[in-house]
Every structure is written in C-alpha cells, then in structure tokens.
Amino acid sequence: MLELYGHVVASRLLLGTARYPSPAILAEAVRASKTDIVTVSLRREMAGSRAGGAFFQLIRTLGVRVLPNTAGCHTVAEAVLTAKMAREVFATDWIKLEVIGNHDTLQPDVFALVEAARILSGEGFKVFPYTTDDLVVAERLMEAGCQVLMPWCAPIGSAMGPVNLPALRSLRAQFPDIPLIVDAGIGRPSHAAIVMEIGYDAVLLNTAVAGAADPAAMAAAFTGAIEAGRIAFRAGMLEPRDMAVPSTPVIGKAVFS
Amino acid sequence: MRVLIKGAGVAGLTLAHELTARGAAVEVAEIARYVGGGASWFAGGMLAPWCESESAPDTVLALGREAADWWHTVLPGHVICKGTLVVAPQRDTGELARFAARTSGCDWLDADDIAALEPDLAGRFRKALHFRHEAHLDPRRAITALYGRLQASGVRFHLGAGPDFPEAGFDHVVDCTGANAIGQAAELRGVRGEMLMLETPDVSLSRPVRLLHPRIPLYVVPRGDGRFMIGATMIESDDAGPVSARSLMELLNAAYTLHPTFGEARVIETGAGVRPAYPDNLPRLSVDGSAIRLNGFYRHGFLLAPSMAKDAATCIVGMQADNGQQSLVRPSLLAPSERNIIPLQIGAGR
C-alpha cells in the first residue's frame, strides 16, 4: 500500500482534471481509472464563481480525494496565497506545489519552489512539489519539509515519456523510503509502466488521458499499465544481457537423429 | 396555440422562428432591454461542426451540419461559406496531425495553397488544414436581423420584462434564459468565455482561422470592415466580470502569432460572457413537470440552436392540454431519465 502523508491510497494513479471534453467525460475517466486522488487547478476555475463553482461541486461528487494545485503561479507569494485559498475551498492541507519558471514550457522554478515549500510546510501544509529530476533540488525540498517528491520525467504535456532514466533511478536510489510520483511528461501507458518498473511509487497524469480520443478507455489502460509495472518491480526483473541465454540446458541434451 | 418564450438569445429567437413557422402565436419576454444579451452577443459565430468534433461528441456534428443552411434560408446573405482554416505555430505542427486525426472533412494545405486561400497569411505557415464545408456569420448582425424578421412576422417582444412576467393565458412557457438559469436548472453550470475585437485595415482574412496550441487554442474570425474577433477562453466559472489580464495577453498573443500586423491593430472591444452548459456539454430540451426548458448550448449556440429549435418546436406543438395538466403526445420522450431530463439526441430519435 502507498502511504502519502499518513493517508493510505490503493490506486497508484493520480489524475488531473483539466482539459477534458466535458465534465461528464472527466467523471467517466475518474471512474474508469479507479483513482483515489484527483488534482484540481484552483487558479482560473475559481474567479468569482457563485456557490463555490459548479465545477468544484462536480469534483466533490466524484467521491475521490482532492489534491489542489497551484498551477499557473509564477512567484512564491502567488503560490503561497493560492495554497491558502485551496485550503479554504477544499478543506485540505494537501497542496500540489507548482511554481512556474518559464511561461512557455512550464518548467518549474526550482529556487522559488524550495522557498514556497519551506513556507507552506512551516504553516502545516502537506506539500507535493512538482519538480525536475535534479537530485540536489530534491534534497533541498526534503530539507524544506516535503515528504513526497513529484519529479517530471519529461517536460509537461510533451508526452515524451522518461527522457532521463538514470536521473530517475538515481532519485529512487537516493530516497528509497520517500514516495516518488512521476508528474508530467508521460504520454502513453508504456511510459507509465517503465517508471513503475524502476520502482516509482505512483504516476500523475492529465493530458495523456484528457487529450485521448476516448479518455475513459485511456484511463483504464493507464491503470493497467501502472499496476503491471508495479507488480513487475516487486517480482524482480531480469537485467538485459548482450548475448542469448538459452532457457533450457544444451549440454547433455538427448539427441534423436 | 400561444407560447411564451423567456429569453431572447439565440436559443429563444430560433425557437420563436420555428414555433411561428408551425402556426403558434409566440411572445418573447426578455429580462434585458435588448435582444441577444447573454452568451450570444460574445459568440464567434463559427458554423464549424467538423472542427468542433475534435473534442465534442458525434452529436454536435450530426445536429450542427444543417446549421449553415438554416441560417442561410432564414437570413439570406448572412452566412459566409468559405470553410475554416486551421494552422499551428511551427514547433506545434504535430498538433495539426492530431487535429486532423480526430476530425473529418478537411484537406491538408501546403504553403502555396494557404497563400491562395488567404494571401495575407502567405509565407507564415507551411501546413494547414482546410475544413471546406464550414461557414460563419456575424452573431450580432444575425441576432438583430432575426429579431426584425420575427417582429415582422407578428412575434411580440417584451423587453425589460421582470422575472414575474405574467404567464397566464399561454398554453406553454419555454425557458430559454441560458446562463441566467444557473442555480435553477439542475446540473446547469457556467463556462466563462472571454473575447476581444481588433480593428486594422492592414490584414485581410476571408474565413475563420483557428490557431492550435497545446494549451491555449484560439480563433480569429473576420467580421468585415477590418474587424476581427479573437476568442475565446474556456474557464470553469460563471463569473461574467471583465476580461482578465492573463486572458487578454493570451488572446493578443494568438492574434500576434497569426500575423504580427495585429500588433498595430486597435483593441476596440473586450468582453466576457458565460456559456450555459450541462455536464456533457450538450444542449437539452427538458420537460420537468410543466416547465419546458431549452438550454445548455455551451459554445455551440449558433451551431446547434437551429436543429434543437426545430425538434423543440415539433415537440411543443405536439403537446396537448389534458384536464389542465400538460402531457406529451409522445410520452416515450420522457422515458430515458427519471428526472424527465431529455438529452435530445435520444428523445428526438435521431
């Protein structure tokens, strides 16, 4: 079982809620994924809504835990303020912390991220930082109070899949007991399976599901791949070799001619 | 048969037309002092069901493909049938392939084809998609013209009518109040859209152009006289306040990416409206007790209103008074859902 800040979750898939063709299809995808946790961007869906916003009401009816995020924040102050708003709206101290350093690529500003993580952890938030695969930044985030790390495996929305497996492995080796969730860059179920096979604890997805022709079916496909990758990791996989190795002994084999 | 329609947006006015055509005596009560006030006023006016099917269910294409003909028949001269051009910035050309794979009815264009269709875009894009069957109109001119046509054919309008406008004496009352019904109509929510209008004599386009981008797909619709509507954001909110700085920046960026000359254009208007939408983002004709409601057109008002209005009018004219209790001639329409909310693609037996 995966434990995130003392909360046990059964599903190792976290699902984003943005950019689905409709809320009805989002709800289908959430059901098909069997996820326990969805992320919700507070930034733009909030503004001035009556009754807390029909979209949020809909999210609440999904019966899953909400991990609000600070998507679209570019400064420490913005991210901290958004986190506090999220705590009010969703009555949770969980926060997916995003501080964007580049407007176009949405690459995290890791310096501001560490700073915001320190402030928010100090105020009792359970911070899920969206970070790069940089080991030193990860260490700083841990020092700042994070007990979960969410490195990207490729730039957000790129659908490239893991572009730097050695870096991801190195993070895993360095933090064997910290939940590591790949956040961003996953395009297909096989990508998710790969990061699970190297021992990552979970995968966070949005575009790969929301942008599929059939989001609910794709959510189910990811769930299967993530489960397969996890089982494979625990089952212990073969290491690749340069040469063929026969699976049956060849010496002394009976020969019929 | 006397019918009162509440709401004089695109839904109410198209329904008024279809009911009048079926012999009903129609009156329209609008809370604002003008017609077309809500989301209709800020619409793009693209009759583009093939492009929309990129993210919308097949129903939108099925119901929307007759829209251009309807508008052309009712308001001759308003519909421009030159298709839609879809382009992407150089580094996002993968988006074009994805868009083409999700849709039908388009041709791939190369740089020469683009230059032939839209000379002002020559040299700016190497590839594009052309959805040849699509059309567009100016929603404000169309709404105003339809208002005139309806008045001429005897429809009485009550502008500035309060919520307690007397409903006595009407056989049916149909609520077409769009986003104003949020909070009353079950499951109806608002999706905020922001737009702006640019004016420049230095760019000329003959058809709507969609600019694909992984995060912020936007469109530019030529309105004639050097005016261009740039739209539209999609934000899960029913806030109708002024456009935000971020949205304005994104809209301007899209225009600038399409053609740098837009950098010199005048911003003559910015606006924001709230699109009424149900969870599946499809419109519904619903009958809940004696209340009839036509709503939830989302971003497809001008596209889907004609077809929905035709079906709604047929359904309403077929209703009969029965001991003062209204019932449906086609009760099977009420069957699909326990709440009597009918997604029309089921109800109309398409």
Side-chain angles (χ1 to χ4, degrees), chain B:
Chain B
M1 176 183 284
R2 293 188 64 213
V3 181
L4 174 66
I5 295 174
K6 293 164 124 183
V10 68
L13 296 188
T14 50
L15 180 61
H17 179 88
E18 288 300 322
L19 282 170
T20 307
R22 284 163 180 75
V26 177
E27 300 191 25
V28 178
E30 165 60 47
I31 198 163
R33 304 214 153 269
Y34 39 84
V35 299
S40 306
W41 200 248
F42 300 104
M46 291 181 294
L47 305 173
W50 285 270
C51 278
E52 286 301 309
S53 64
E54 183 246 343
S55 63
D58 297 343
T59 317
V60 170
L61 180 54
L63 295 178
R65 59 197 310 162
E66 303 157 14
D69 285 342
W70 190 94
W71 288 105
H72 179 70
T73 307
V74 176
L75 301 174
H78 279 257
V79 179
I80 302 164
C81 300
K82 293 200 169 170
T84 303
L85 196 65
V86 181
V87 299
Q90 211 71 266
R91 55 163 217 189
D92 294 328
T93 43
E95 292 293 309
L96 276 181
R98 192 188 61 82
F99 198 88
R102 292 283 172 81
T103 52
S104 59
C106 69
D107 302 309
W108 280 96
L109 305 185
D110 63 18
D112 291 344
D113 302 327
I114 297 168
L117 273 185
E118 294 289 358
D120 279 9
L121 296 183
R124 296 207 46 75
F125 301 94
R126 280 189 217 146
K127 284 184 167 183
L129 300 171
H130 184 221
F131 288 80
R132 55 194 177 277
H133 307 300
E134 297 188 337
H136 70 285
L137 50 69
D138 180 335
R140 296 177 183 181
R141 283 185 57 227
I143 283 283
T144 309
L146 185 54
Y147 174 47
R149 280 261 341 234
L150 290 168
Q151 281 180 306
S153 57
V155 175
R156 280 188 62 198
F157 281 82
H158 308 276
L159 300 181
D164 49 359
F165 184 82
E167 298 175 4
F170 291 99
D171 298 299
H172 299 291
V173 179
V174 190
D175 189 309
C176 299
T177 54
N180 282 339
I182 293 171
Q184 302 157 31
E187 299 193 303
L188 194 70
R189 75 186 202 285
V191 181
R192 175 177 161 90
E194 296 150 295
M195 53 75 76
L196 63 92
M197 200 79 83
L198 296 181
E199 187 175 58
T200 172
D202 300 326
V203 184
S204 177
L205 296 174
S206 341
R207 54 182 61 72
V209 182
R210 290 183 184 228
L211 185 70
L212 301 185
H213 180 282
R215 290 200 310 279
I216 34 174
L218 294 164
Y219 56 77
V220 177
V221 188
R223 287 276 188 259
D225 301 327
R227 295 181 175 200
F228 300 86
M229 181 201 160
I230 322 290
T233 54
M234 303 274 290
I235 300 167
E236 288 285 347
S237 168
D238 54 15
D239 170 35
V243 65
S244 74
R246 184 196 301 260
S247 296
L248 191 58
M249 185 178 70
E250 284 172 357
L251 292 165
L252 288 170
N253 246 331
Y256 190 76
T257 304
L258 188 63
H259 204 299
T261 302
F262 279 121
E264 298 300 317
R266 307 280 183 181
V267 179
I268 56 173
E269 182 189 338
T270 65
V274 176
R275 310 173 182 93
Y278 289 109
D280 57 3
N281 290 343
L282 290 173
R284 288 178 188 176
L285 170 69
S286 59
V287 183
D288 191 358
S290 64
I292 307 173
R293 204 183 277 287
L294 182 60
N295 208 327
F297 281 93
Y298 183 50
R299 50 185 273 163
H300 300 133
F302 285 81
L303 180 62
L304 300 186
S307 166
M308 291 294 290
K310 277 199 265 184
D311 289 343
T314 305
C315 176
I316 290 162
V317 168
M319 284 173 162
Q320 289 174 335
D322 175 18
N323 298 334
Q325 277 263 297
Q326 285 158 2
S327 64
L328 284 169
V329 166
R330 294 187 293 167
S332 62
L333 278 178
L334 285 174
S337 144
E338 67 269 17
R339 263 178 311 176
N340 294 349
I341 303 291
I342 312 162
L344 202 72
Q345 74 273 20
I346 299 166
R350 276 167 189 279

Side-chain angles (χ1 to χ4, degrees), chain A residues 22-228:
Chain A
S22 70
I25 291 174
L26 161 64
E28 272 176 45
V30 168
R31 280 193 293 272
S33 73
K34 303 193 183 90
T35 185
D36 297 323
I37 300 170
V38 296
T39 62
V40 178
S41 158
L42 204 65
R43 195 87 202 143
R44 312 205 54 185
E45 282 135 10
M46 275 291 302
S49 258
R50 283 176 264 170
F55 185 72
F56 290 160
Q57 296 294 344
L58 200 134
I59 299 284
R60 288 192 192 98
T61 64
L62 296 175
V64 290
R65 194 178 176 106
V66 172
L67 172 58
N69 73 26
T70 62
C73 292
H74 286 70
T75 64
V76 174
E78 261 185 303
V80 168
L81 180 67
T82 306
K84 288 178 179 172
M85 282 163 58
R87 182 157 65 179
E88 294 297 311
V89 172
F90 291 106
T92 175
D93 52 8
W94 283 20
I95 189 76
K96 179 186 161 189
L97 184 60
E98 277 187 48
V99 188
I100 299 306
N102 182 296
H103 177 76
D104 203 34
T105 63
L106 300 185
Q107 171 148 356
D109 176 343
V110 292
F111 302 95
L113 181 70
V114 170
E115 175 66 18
R118 181 171 293 120
I119 294 169
L120 289 171
S121 297
E123 298 196 15
F125 281 92
K126 314 284 194 294
V127 179
F128 294 66
Y130 159 58
T131 181
T132 65
D133 53 19
D134 188 286
L135 183 58
V136 179
V137 172
E139 281 168 351
R140 296 288 157 86
L141 286 166
M142 301 296 300
E143 284 166 21
C146 299
Q147 292 169 34
V148 173
L149 293 172
M150 302 214 295
W152 69 5
C153 76
I156 198 164
S158 69
M160 279 194 281
V163 290
N164 191 352
L165 273 176
L168 291 179
R169 281 204 184 93
S170 158
L171 276 180
R172 181 70 284 176
Q174 195 73 18
F175 302 106
D177 302 321
I178 298 300
L180 294 180
I181 303 172
V182 165
D183 176 9
I186 299 273
R188 10 184 105 178
S190 53
H191 298 153
I194 288 172
V195 299
M196 293 305 290
E197 284 168 6
I198 63 169
Y200 272 63
D201 293 286
V203 168
L204 195 158
L205 297 167
N206 191 344
T207 315
V209 170
D214 183 345
M218 189 58 82
F222 269 105
T223 300
I226 287 165
E227 212 174 297

